[in-house]
Amino acid sequence: MTREELDRLVAQYTAKTFDQIEDTLALEWEETGLDQYRWNLTDRAYELAGALSHADPEPALQLAREMAPSAAEDALRKLARRLMEAQLKGIKAELEALCGEPLERPPVYVSPLSTPQETPKATPRLSELARQYGDERVARKSWTSRTEFQVRGYLTLLSDMLGDPFIGNVTKNDMRRFGLELARLPSNMTKRFPGKTPREALEAAGDDETVPRLAPNSVNAYTQAIRSFFNWAVEHDHITQSPAAILKNMETGRASEDRHPFDDEDLRAYFRKLDAKRGLLPVEYWVPRIMAFTGCRLGEAAQLCAHDVRQQKGIWVLDINEIEDDKYLKTTGSKRLVPMHPRLIELGLPEFASSAPSGFLWPKEMRTNPNPKGSPVDKLQKRLAYVLRSAGIEDAKKTASHSFRHTVSSRLKALSIPEYQISEILGHELGSISTGRYGSVTDLATLKAVIDQLALPI
């Protein structure tokens, strides 16, 4: 990657960042919400500054890979650091604006190589380039089978909706219109309107308010995949700028509104029912307890290996990683070391792992799925969900696969644990900053002290 290409990518990202800042500043805020937002910005600034001070580009490496998927590793690290610097500058500018100062946008970057006399080159059709993009990601093993199935489907829908144009002819107006139509697409189209194309299904649904539309999370999955595809097309010089940059995510509400945490009575009822289950398997005994005391995702607990339960600097940890080929992680921030709660040690998790055969702790059918359309942990999830409902927990927003995570998050927040430390334990992204095993700014001993404060009736 040349310096000119690096400057261009960073300039595009910076411009988009400041567009988002302007959109945020234009919202109607309540003072309490604004205060919380300032605190969140400050936490993110400390995280970025900490990573930059340690020359650690990991928090932005995944973003760099999405923007320049074919770049060499050293170029990606340079790009990641530049992106983190742009993020930090944006946060500082936003905080100053929230203190009454004018928002100062950085100067617009103009490529020294661009000339008005250049003749646009012929470009491939959108469907052909989407196929090449998918083939490259599969060859690089960047996608799981399920991700491949989903993203190829997203891009096929895009091509169909736009009429499979030459990619160089796709404009921002085309993408703006597509974004509006995407939000109006019926859910479960193939079942509701069998034999119809997406556009025909959209026309058949019309303005009928009884027809369910795609959920915001589904719309956002489409737009994220499409933005990544167009960024790849820019990186490969098929187009000079991404028309998909104008696609914005739909508001989905805070995660805490999507799923409810368990209360003490829920936990007692669930584990009482679980332990009374006839023929209880080790995976059914341990995985819920691991999720309860770490807040890890079901997929992360299901793919633990014997050597992932180990000591680091004298502290028992769970190593959440993707070292083995059959492992997968949701984001780059998911890689992390989670200190083991004393209760898991008391229950004998280290001894169980050390006595288990090398390799994965749980049977293959509990962590993989031969159907690429389904979740890899579909079988295990259904088993745990059955016990949950059998225990009398009927709230649809309390689930065995998500509510443990929200339980840990909400209880640590109640203890006034800093947001970024909770993020490091849970391995999720805070704003646009991903934290985790390599992006962490907190030492293991401190995180262990945080975990040790978690009190659960299990």
Side-chain angles (χ1 to χ4, degrees):
M1 183 186 298
T2 65
R3 173 53 63 87
E4 193 273 336
E5 291 171 332
L6 182 64
D7 289 343
R8 174 171 52 81
L9 287 173
V10 174
Q12 290 174 347
Y13 178 78
T14 301
K16 181 180 177 182
T17 297
F18 274 79
D19 286 343
Q20 293 173 341
I21 290 173
E22 287 188 328
D23 290 343
T24 301
L25 293 175
L27 296 175
E28 294 184 6
W29 288 92
E30 293 184 1
E31 195 58 38
T32 54
L34 200 56
D35 286 341
Q36 183 61 52
Y37 184 66
R38 290 191 186 97
W39 280 111
N40 290 343
L41 285 178
T42 303
D43 282 345
R44 287 165 55 193
Y46 277 121
E47 290 178 31
L48 280 172
L52 287 168
S53 68
H54 289 88
D56 179 9
E58 181 67 26
L61 266 180
Q62 180 60 31
L63 175 60
R65 292 190 181 100
E66 292 177 0
M67 295 178 66
S70 63
E73 190 65 23
D74 61 337
L76 287 174
R77 293 177 68 85
K78 291 179 183 178
L79 176 58
R81 181 177 179 87
R82 291 279 300 276
L83 293 174
M84 291 165 61
E85 291 171 348
Q87 291 166 354
L88 187 56
K89 289 179 181 177
I91 291 172
K92 289 180 177 179
E94 189 169 5
L95 285 171
E96 290 176 357
L98 290 171
C99 292
E101 297 294 327
L103 178 66
E104 295 188 7
R105 295 184 66 105
V108 177
Y109 170 79
V110 179
S111 170
L113 301 180
S114 63
T115 60
Q117 293 79 25
E118 289 178 351
T119 302
K121 65 178 183 178
T123 58
R125 290 197 179 275
L126 197 154
S127 61
E128 171 61 19
L129 204 59
R131 183 189 63 78
Q132 294 179 26
Y133 171 67
D135 290 348
E136 179 185 295
R137 301 308 291 237
V138 171
R140 290 175 175 271
K141 297 183 178 180
S142 301
W143 287 346
T144 63
S145 297
R146 187 186 186 195
T147 300
E148 179 190 0
F149 177 84
Q150 291 175 330
V151 177
R152 286 192 190 272
Y154 298 158
L155 297 180
T156 296
L157 182 139
L158 172 68
S159 178
D160 290 345
M161 293 288 285
L162 296 185
D164 197 17
F166 295 105
I167 194 168
N169 293 341
V170 179
T171 67
K172 286 187 176 181
N173 281 335
D174 293 330
M175 297 308 300
R176 184 177 293 107
R177 184 173 62 255
F178 169 78
L180 294 173
E181 292 174 335
L182 181 64
R184 295 177 50 243
L185 280 176
S187 60
N188 298 317
M189 277 188 298
T190 57
K191 293 182 179 180
R192 295 181 188 279
F193 301 99
K196 293 186 180 294
T197 66
R199 184 159 296 284
E200 290 171 343
L202 181 63
E203 292 173 354
D207 296 326
D208 188 347
E209 296 182 357
T210 65
V211 177
R213 311 294 168 150
L214 285 182
N217 285 337
S218 297
V219 173
N220 292 345
Y222 274 91
T223 55
Q224 181 177 341
I226 290 168
R227 286 195 299 263
S228 295
F229 164 67
F230 276 101
N231 286 338
W232 174 88
V234 171
E235 174 64 21
H236 284 70
D237 296 326
H238 294 292
I239 51 179
T240 57
Q241 60 179 346
S242 169
I246 55 91
L247 289 179
K248 305 298 182 183
N249 284 357
M250 292 183 67
E251 181 61 47
T252 60
R254 298 181 64 85
S256 58
E257 297 170 355
D258 297 334
R259 293 290 186 268
H260 291 167
F262 292 131
D263 57 33
D264 282 356
E265 187 53 41
D266 293 329
L267 293 170
R268 292 189 186 97
Y270 179 73
F271 282 96
R272 187 164 53 243
K273 190 71 176 181
L274 182 72
D275 293 346
K277 184 176 182 291
R278 181 178 299 178
L280 183 69
L281 300 175
V283 64
E284 295 175 289
Y285 176 86
W286 282 114
V287 165
R289 286 172 166 84
I290 290 171
M291 290 194 295
F293 285 108
T294 66
C296 71
R297 300 174 177 90
L298 176 58
E300 294 169 347
Q303 64 186 9
L304 285 171
C305 290
H307 57 256
D308 294 331
V309 182
R310 60 184 179 83
Q311 284 190 308
Q312 175 89 356
K313 297 181 179 179
I315 297 173
W316 280 103
V317 299
L318 296 179
D319 189 345
I320 310 296
N321 61 68
E322 53 183 351
I323 297 173
E324 284 77 13
D325 289 340
D326 289 342
K327 287 187 175 184
Y328 63 93
L329 293 177
K330 185 174 183 180
T331 68
T332 185
S334 300
K335 289 187 289 186
R336 63 198 188 278
L337 296 175
V338 183
M340 194 180 300
H341 192 279
R343 180 58 175 157
L344 289 176
I345 298 174
E346 180 185 348
L347 290 171
L349 181 57
E351 290 79 7
F352 171 80
S354 63
S355 63
S358 60
F360 289 98
L361 286 174
W362 324 119
K364 185 174 183 179
E365 64 268 20
M366 294 297 178
R367 52 184 170 80
T368 62
N369 190 337
N371 181 3
K373 299 181 184 180
S375 166
V377 291
D378 184 61
K379 186 172 183 177
L380 177 58
Q381 182 176 356
K382 288 178 179 178
R383 283 175 172 261
L384 300 182
Y386 174 78
V387 175
L388 185 75
R389 299 310 174 207
S390 299
I393 302 172
E394 299 179 354
D395 185 345
K397 291 192 174 184
K398 292 182 179 181
T399 67
S401 56
H402 293 90
S403 290
F404 285 119
R405 190 165 172 78
H406 291 292
T407 301
V408 172
S409 176
S410 63
R411 297 200 179 199
L412 292 182
K413 287 179 181 178
L415 294 170
S416 299
I417 302 300
E419 185 78 21
Y420 70 90
Q421 291 183 353
I422 299 174
S423 296
E424 291 173 31
I425 291 170
L426 298 181
H428 67 200
E429 294 185 348
L430 180 60
S432 61
I433 314 300
S434 58
T435 61
R437 181 182 179 185
Y438 305 112
S440 172
V441 294
T442 307
D443 61 87
L444 272 177
T446 300
L447 290 183
K448 173 174 168 47
V450 170
I451 285 285
D452 288 355
Q453 296 180 58
L454 185 64
L456 300 173
I458 301 173

